[in-house]
Amino acid sequence: MNTPRLVAAQPQAPFAPDSATGGDFIQLRGVCKAYGEQLVVMDNMDLDMRADDRLVIIGPSGSGKSSLLRVLMGLEGIQGGSIAFQGKPYISGGQRRGKPLDESLRTQIGMVFQHYTLFPHLSVLGNLILAPCKVHGLSRAAATEKARAYLARLGLESKLHAYPSQLSGGQKQRVAIARALMLEPKLMLFDEVTSALDPEMVIEVQNVMLQLAEQKMAMIIVTHDMHFARHIATRVVFCANGRVVEQGPPEQIFSQPREARTREFLEKVVHLD
Ligand SMILES: Nc1ncnc2c1ncn2[C@@H]1O[C@H](COP(=O)(O)OP(=O)(O)OP(=O)(O)O)[C@@H](O)[C@H]1O
Ligand SMILES: [Mg+2]
């Protein structure tokens, strides 16, 4: 493993759009993150995203994909570099752990995890309205109406009063997505949301994500499902050793990867065209 670079090189123009991708929605510049002294998971990482992008992050196990999403969600800090969101400074290195610079920007990001994170003691309705009532100060009646609308959109209206233990895995994940959408995020992060599901439930959750894609939701998706990645991505980003090794449209990455490291990874997980 590399030695952590705790102080990132200062970029010349921190929030200028990247010339290669034109991304000014999310911009990572020289981001460094390490666990302890030795384990570098983001090594001076640069990454850009446009508001109409659906980025799919792929890479070997342990390459820092989940860490990247947790950082963007404000759940973990970074040691160096900076991140801008919607053109505004959002997170910078050295801030107190889990304290992004701008809390109002953080609330515009929703995240769904691999393992359902619904509150088991609350009904589906309770799970959906908790944050909108507490964080956004929505009345219970207004939040309930909104919850009904989202559940109907996701085919779950009959589950309003069910408890998480009464739902299938796919239903739980769809409720988790609905719960994140209740806060009207501008960006959704998905961390291997289907990898613990049975195949038929994978499809129902992926269909919800495709529905969001049709509505032009900005998304960053971590998945090991290369077929789905190819289908949903506007851009695929291959990460290894804390860096972006290669990125491009799915057709290019999956059919003609430029980097040997990408090819080697893809040969292990998919049959190249
Ligand atoms: N809180 C933590 N403390 C210490 N080490 C951690 C912590 N979280 C993750 N790591 C380590 O950091 C590395 C990157 O982890 P991360 O979960 O980001 O990888 P990943 O790319 O999502 O892997 P996977 O594909 O297996 O989910 C791994 O070696 C992991 O063990
Ligand atoms: Mg992970």
Side-chain angles (χ1 to χ4, degrees):
M1 269 294 165
N2 310 329
T3 310
R5 288 184 209 163
L6 294 180
V7 181
Q10 284 306 306
Q12 293 295 311
F15 303 121
D18 179 274
S19 54
T21 61
D24 58 1
F25 186 64
I26 288 275
Q27 296 168 306
L28 276 74
R29 291 290 179 272
V31 172
C32 295
K33 178 172 180 61
Y35 293 111
E37 291 294 306
Q38 292 302 318
L39 187 60
V40 178
V41 289
M42 297 170 83
D43 181 12
N44 227 342
M45 186 186 264
D46 291 338
L47 183 65
D48 289 80
M49 175 181 185
R50 297 157 42 134
D52 57 357
D53 260 337
R54 294 182 296 280
L55 288 195
V56 171
I57 315 273
I58 59 172
S61 181
S63 59
K65 305 178 297 294
S66 297
S67 300
L68 167 63
L69 295 195
R70 288 197 302 265
V71 163
L72 289 173
M73 194 60 202
L75 299 172
E76 292 182 13
I78 55 177
Q79 278 93 39
S82 56
I83 302 175
F85 179 32
Q86 301 175 83
K88 297 176 197 146
Y90 172 42
I91 297 172
S92 63
Q95 296 295 305
R96 206 146 55 83
R97 229 163 215 284
K99 288 282 174 202
L101 275 183
D102 191 329
E103 187 67 25
S104 68
L105 288 174
R106 195 196 64 78
T107 61
Q108 296 176 34
I109 303 178
M111 183 161 177
V112 184
F113 300 83
Q114 176 177 359
H115 293 289
Y116 338 109
T117 47
L118 300 176
F119 297 114
H121 62 289
L122 293 179
S123 67
V124 167
L125 178 64
N127 268 281
L128 261 63
I129 68 173
L130 185 69
C133 291
K134 275 200 169 162
V135 179
H136 284 192
L138 218 61
S139 72
R140 197 182 159 86
T144 300
E145 194 180 321
K146 197 169 173 178
R148 280 184 194 280
Y150 273 115
L151 289 173
R153 237 171 78 182
L154 304 187
L156 288 166
E157 58 271 63
S158 64
K159 301 295 180 188
L160 191 71
H161 299 295
Y163 281 80
S165 62
Q166 299 167 318
L167 302 176
S168 72
Q171 288 167 342
K172 281 185 216 173
Q173 282 303 57
R174 284 187 286 151
V175 170
I177 294 171
R179 186 176 61 173
L181 293 175
M182 286 287 288
L183 294 172
E184 295 178 12
K186 297 229 169 61
L187 168 67
M188 283 287 288
L189 310 176
F190 295 91
D191 192 359
E192 294 196 43
V193 294
T194 59
S195 50
L197 300 178
D198 291 340
E200 68 271 28
M201 293 176 190
V202 168
I203 302 296
E204 70 186 36
V205 174
Q206 288 181 343
N207 282 341
V208 169
M209 293 166 74
L210 289 167
Q211 202 179 311
L212 289 177
E214 269 172 29
Q215 292 154 9
K216 305 285 175 221
M217 172 66 80
M219 302 192 241
I220 304 181
I221 300 162
V222 172
T223 183
H224 288 288
D225 183 337
M226 298 300 144
H227 180 75
F228 181 61
R230 193 174 194 139
H231 196 44
I232 200 165
T234 54
R235 193 145 49 92
V236 176
V237 179
F238 173 65
C239 293
N241 299 326
R243 283 177 177 248
V244 174
V245 174
E246 178 170 3
Q247 56 180 308
E251 315 79 60
Q252 183 255 308
I253 295 289
F254 290 118
S255 302
Q256 293 172 311
R258 293 193 187 96
E259 300 291 329
R261 186 74 189 79
T262 316
R263 182 169 286 275
E264 191 187 307
F265 171 76
L266 289 174
E267 277 169 356
K268 280 191 199 144
V269 293
V270 280
H271 178 71
L272 287 181
D273 296 343

